[in-house]
Amino acid sequence: MQAVHFGAGSIGRGFIGDLLHDSGYEITFVDVDPAIIAQINRDKAYDLYLIEQNYLRKTIDHVSAVSSITQEQETVAALANADIITTSVWADNLPRIAPVLLKGLRARQEAGKSKVNILAFENAMFNSDILKKSILELEGSLSEKELEEIASFPNTAVDRMVLEGKQEGKAVINIGQDYELVIEQNKLAEPGMKPIRNAVYTDNLQKFLERKLYIINCGHAWAGYIGHVYGYEIIQDVFHHDTLVQEVRETMLESASMLERKYGFSNQELVEYVDFAIARFQTPGIVDTINRVCRSPIRKLQADDRLVAPCLQCEEYGLKNSRLQQGIAAAFLFRNDADSQCEELRLYVEEHGIGAAITHYTGIPAATQLHEGILKHYEELYRTA
Ligand SMILES: NC(=O)C1=CN([C@@H]2O[C@H](COP(=O)(O)OP(=O)(O)OC[C@H]3O[C@@H](n4cnc5c(N)ncnc54)[C@H](O)[C@@H]3O)[C@@H](O)[C@H]2O)C=CC1
Ligand SMILES: O=P(O)(O)OC[C@H]1O[C@](O)(CO)[C@@H](O)[C@@H]1O
């Protein structure tokens, strides 16, 4: 069986590649980074290191790689022959892979190939729908009916600790043992089939997605943005600071109270989920930068993302959300010269003021209780920063 995976980065090789390999696929990675492509083609394999098993090595073989920039024909040919197509390129990049994907789908159409599953494994709500929409919006694209005849776009939730590391001086990928890969079953090309082993198949993805994004990623982002205000650079340092850990926990529990109300999760299972996530962030020996956790703050401030969405929903249910407001405020103070979204945010605040920026990036209207709360937190954090 053949898999084509866009994005040979941490999650691409460390999580999706791992599971595709264990499901029996040969994997063609499509990337834009010549160094990663060359490395995969040279070694025809790559190594992963299992953090909790004293960095035990696991080799992923039967892999190759192509560049979507310089090897478009090869990419299209691989797509035409694929039994499954997957991505982990960051949600913001999905529109960039849409054109070559469309060419691959046309090639499949011409060759009379069977309907293929296309799964976007990105941290975003309804990630595969974003990709489908990007394909449909291309000039001269297929109609929605034509696209649905040749491809299915099940949405997913993707959770695993995957970190860049070093072994014997070489850059490697370290992976955590716990993971959750959830796939929308009813949208699969054949809903009875389970194309990836060890994934969870569900018809109620939103519940899993929100639990993961609004608790794990929310707490992580809160810790990163607040940690940055306090001058930390490594996220583990935040998780070794008792007061901050307590505050992250309070943030995650604000989201949890909303999810309990909305989906009927039990309080105990959500509290256990929060504590499991915090324990994972505290795994001994791992080092992860705040710059990575906080990357792309504009994306993370969107109304359906990890901080604003649970905050808005808590507000609707009349639930406490002050910690979430604080995390949103802190995101506006995140600075990283290598991240263009930080500079865009900074310039917008400088030109229009923080009040307008909150509304512009989060959609939260001015003169609401929420807006005023975020503003107040921003002013307090600004004095600390
Ligand atoms: N690292 C993690 O622990 C987790 C990451 N995710 C999600 O997985 C996705 C990928 O994250 P990472 O693997 O950490 O990022 P990464 O930066 O390590 O990997 C992204 C890869 O995509 C490639 N890429 C970018 N644009 C491309 C294009 N147009 N065509 C082909 N390849 C392209 C990059 O060259 C890079 O190799 C993101 O959506 C992230 O939110 C989700 C859960 C966990
Ligand atoms: O990958 P993103 O969406 O930029 O956000 C980083 C988050 O994703 C993860 O990489 C994995 O879920 C977390 O470490 C972090 O919460």
Side-chain angles (χ1 to χ4, degrees), residues 123 158-160 212 216-217 220-221 288 292-293 295 299-300 306:
N123 269 342
V158 44
D159 179 35
R160 187 176 204 173
K212 187 248 166 185
I216 298 187
N217 297 129
H220 215 194
D288 195 6
R292 189 195 76 80
V293 174
R295 63 189 172 191
R299 169 170 58 89
K300 291 190 167 94
R306 63 209 75 189

Side-chain angles (χ1 to χ4, degrees), residues 160-316:
R160 187 176 204 173
M161 188 166 63
V162 181
L163 300 170
E164 287 172 10
K166 280 240 151 88
Q167 291 284 343
E168 294 158 10
K170 257 179 59 184
V172 298
I173 297 178
N174 296 325
I175 56 175
Q177 70 185 4
D178 298 313
Y179 61 77
E180 196 172 57
L181 193 72
V182 190
I183 296 175
E184 218 174 5
Q185 183 157 17
N186 54 359
K187 287 207 186 154
L188 284 164
E190 291 181 62
M193 301 288 280
K194 297 187 171 172
I196 301 182
R197 267 175 54 188
N198 296 328
V200 173
Y201 294 84
T202 178
D203 288 340
N204 191 356
L205 181 77
Q206 186 153 356
K207 173 176 166 174
F208 286 97
L209 252 179
E210 293 197 3
R211 188 181 63 164
K212 187 248 166 185
L213 202 62
Y214 302 164
I215 293 186
I216 298 187
N217 297 129
C218 168
H220 215 194
W222 190 97
Y225 290 126
I226 293 289
H228 178 80
V229 168
Y230 286 102
Y232 289 104
E233 290 180 5
I234 302 298
I235 194 82
Q236 280 70 32
D237 293 341
V238 178
F239 285 102
H240 290 125
H241 186 297
D242 290 346
T243 312
L244 290 177
V245 173
Q246 183 50 35
E247 290 174 2
V248 177
R249 196 167 183 275
E250 285 168 20
T251 311
M252 294 162 105
L253 289 173
E254 285 182 359
S255 285
S257 65
M258 179 277 287
L259 295 169
E260 187 181 333
R261 180 80 73 87
K262 185 170 175 184
Y263 290 113
F265 285 110
S266 76
N267 179 267
Q268 189 189 339
E269 75 182 302
L270 288 177
V271 168
E272 282 170 10
Y273 189 77
V274 167
D275 289 335
F276 154 79
I278 292 177
R280 199 171 67 167
F281 293 144
Q282 293 173 323
T283 305
I286 59 169
V287 178
D288 195 6
T289 63
I290 283 185
N291 280 346
R292 189 195 76 80
V293 174
C294 294
R295 63 189 172 191
S296 321
I298 291 178
R299 169 170 58 89
K300 291 190 167 94
L301 278 168
Q302 282 169 9
D304 63 354
D305 213 284
R306 63 209 75 189
L307 291 165
V308 179
C311 188
L312 282 167
Q313 294 183 55
C314 280
E315 187 75 0
E316 277 167 27

Side-chain angles (χ1 to χ4, degrees), residues 7 9-11 31 88 90 93 97 122-123 158 160 292 295:
S10 301
I11 280 292
D31 209 289
S88 55
W90 297 18
N93 287 324
I97 66 169
E122 315 288 350
N123 269 342
V158 44
R160 187 176 204 173
R292 189 195 76 80
R295 63 189 172 191

